[in-house]
């Protein structure tokens, strides 16, 4: 009850409205969400050593998508995970991507950044996908042991150095011989995904694909 009243008061100060058309009671309405095109012809061209395929549901150059992801990650509007995950679900269903027997692993945040944000955006996305496709999700199997500086502005080589040995598998027995889907919000060079994949291959997973909302 107290929480309800609190939320009501909060909604007077910060009304819940669509970030695009201002429709009430939703952060991203269906009409606006449907304006974000699904990507059908993009192929991730960068050479990845440890990942079989990167699937990205859409392009990051869509302004509305950029705002949605920004509000999700940096204004901490957790609720945006639902529409953002719907973009991925739509893509996976339209492209008929085979997900049977895969286990989801969200890209972990370092503890410090996790505490700052209060949630891991990739984990929230993975949870939505796990529910929708009835897949297992491996939380707390992989950690980010080094708090790497932001990747923005670094070239690929520097990004890889920056990430070297940044991830650690805590419970290798849970993922041994499993087919893995890595979940991240946006892929740029693929360096983070590759570094995680390298760590997972050492822990003897069978194979790895990656799924992101967008590619930049
Ligand atoms: Zn709208």
């Amino acid at each position: 009850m107290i929480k309800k009243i609190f939320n009501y008061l909060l909604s007077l100060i910060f009304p819940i409205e669509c970030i695009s058309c201002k429709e009430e009671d939703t952060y991203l309405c269906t009409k606006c969400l449907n304006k974000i095109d699904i990507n059908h012809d993009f192929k991730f061209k960068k050479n990845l050593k440890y990942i079989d395929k990167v699937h990205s549901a859409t392009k990051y150059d869509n302004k509305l998508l950029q705002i949605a992801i920004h509000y999700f990650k940096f204004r901490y509007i957790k609720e945006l995970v639902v529409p953002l995950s719907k973009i991925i679900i739509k893509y996976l269903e339209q492209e008929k991507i085979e997900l049977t027997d895969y286990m989801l692993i969200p890209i972990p945040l370092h503890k410090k950044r996790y505490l700052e944000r209060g949630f891991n955006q990739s984990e929230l996305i993975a949870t939505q996908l796990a529910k929708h496709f009835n897949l297992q999700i491996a939380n707390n199997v992989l950690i980010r042991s080094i708090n790497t500086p932001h990747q923005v502005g670094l070239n690929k080589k520097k990004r890889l150095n920056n990430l070297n040995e940044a991830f650690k598998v805590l419970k290798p027995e849970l993922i041994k011989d499993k087919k893995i889907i890595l979940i991240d919000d946006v892929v740029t060079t693929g360096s983070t995904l590759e570094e995680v994949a390298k760590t997972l291959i050492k822990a003897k997973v069978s194979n790895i694909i990656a799924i992101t909302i967008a590619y930049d």
Side-chain angles (χ1 to χ4, degrees):
M1 189 64 189
I2 290 169
K3 199 172 173 208
K4 267 193 183 155
I5 296 168
F6 178 74
N7 283 343
Y8 172 72
L9 292 175
L10 204 65
S11 74
L12 294 180
I13 315 165
F14 303 107
I16 298 172
E17 56 181 30
C18 175
I19 55 173
S20 180
C21 72
K22 310 288 175 211
E23 186 186 304
E24 280 176 25
D25 295 327
T26 171
Y27 286 106
L28 185 55
C29 76
T30 312
K31 218 176 89 215
C32 293
L33 179 66
N34 286 337
K35 283 186 201 152
I36 298 173
D37 285 331
I38 299 296
N39 144 54
H40 291 296
D41 46 11
F42 162 75
K43 301 274 175 290
F44 191 84
K45 287 187 194 73
K46 293 178 183 103
N47 241 338
L48 299 182
K49 217 167 131 190
Y50 305 101
I51 297 177
D52 297 342
K53 203 164 168 40
V54 178
H55 294 284
S56 296
T58 188
K59 279 188 205 164
Y60 192 61
D61 62 6
N62 181 302
K63 274 275 161 292
L64 176 56
L65 181 78
Q66 285 176 15
I67 296 168
I69 290 179
H70 181 85
Y71 275 49
F72 178 39
K73 285 170 71 176
F74 302 107
R75 295 203 187 176
Y76 316 122
I77 300 178
K78 267 170 134 174
E79 290 82 353
L80 278 166
V81 72
V82 174
L84 288 171
S85 301
K86 276 186 185 159
I87 301 172
I88 300 182
I89 291 168
K90 195 167 158 189
Y91 165 84
L92 294 171
E93 290 183 342
Q94 287 184 0
E95 292 288 294
K96 300 189 172 60
I97 308 291
E98 187 48 65
L99 302 172
T100 320
D101 296 334
Y102 271 96
M103 184 183 243
L104 299 168
I105 297 189
I107 299 293
L109 291 179
H110 187 267
K111 209 173 156 194
K112 190 166 170 255
R113 199 167 297 163
Y114 182 87
L115 290 174
E116 279 165 14
R117 186 169 293 154
F119 62 90
N120 173 359
Q121 69 277 6
S122 302
E123 200 177 296
L124 297 187
I125 297 167
T127 305
Q128 294 288 320
L129 300 183
K131 247 194 271 172
H132 186 89
F133 293 106
N134 195 21
L135 298 172
Q136 261 187 295
I137 169 166
N139 280 325
N140 312 317
V141 164
L142 183 77
I143 58 158
R144 198 172 196 133
S145 47
I146 300 168
N147 191 18
T148 49
H150 281 287
Q151 296 281 78
V152 180
L154 300 178
N155 64 29
K156 190 171 180 196
K157 199 170 167 216
K158 283 202 178 125
R159 280 177 182 234
L160 276 175
N161 283 336
N162 185 17
L163 284 167
N164 210 6
E165 310 297 325
F167 300 93
K168 220 184 245 165
V169 173
L170 293 183
K171 298 169 190 158
E173 67 279 8
L174 294 182
I175 54 170
K176 189 170 175 274
D177 299 324
K178 298 275 192 217
K179 292 153 71 177
I180 302 295
I181 301 174
L182 292 179
I183 301 294
D184 206 356
D185 48 357
V186 181
V187 60
T188 309
T189 64
S191 319
T192 305
L193 291 172
E194 270 286 87
E195 188 60 33
V196 169
K198 190 176 100 187
T199 311
L200 295 178
I201 292 284
K202 278 189 206 153
K204 304 207 166 42
V205 302
S206 114
N207 71 294
I208 305 169
I209 63 170
I211 296 175
T212 72
I213 304 167
Y215 67 93
D216 187 11

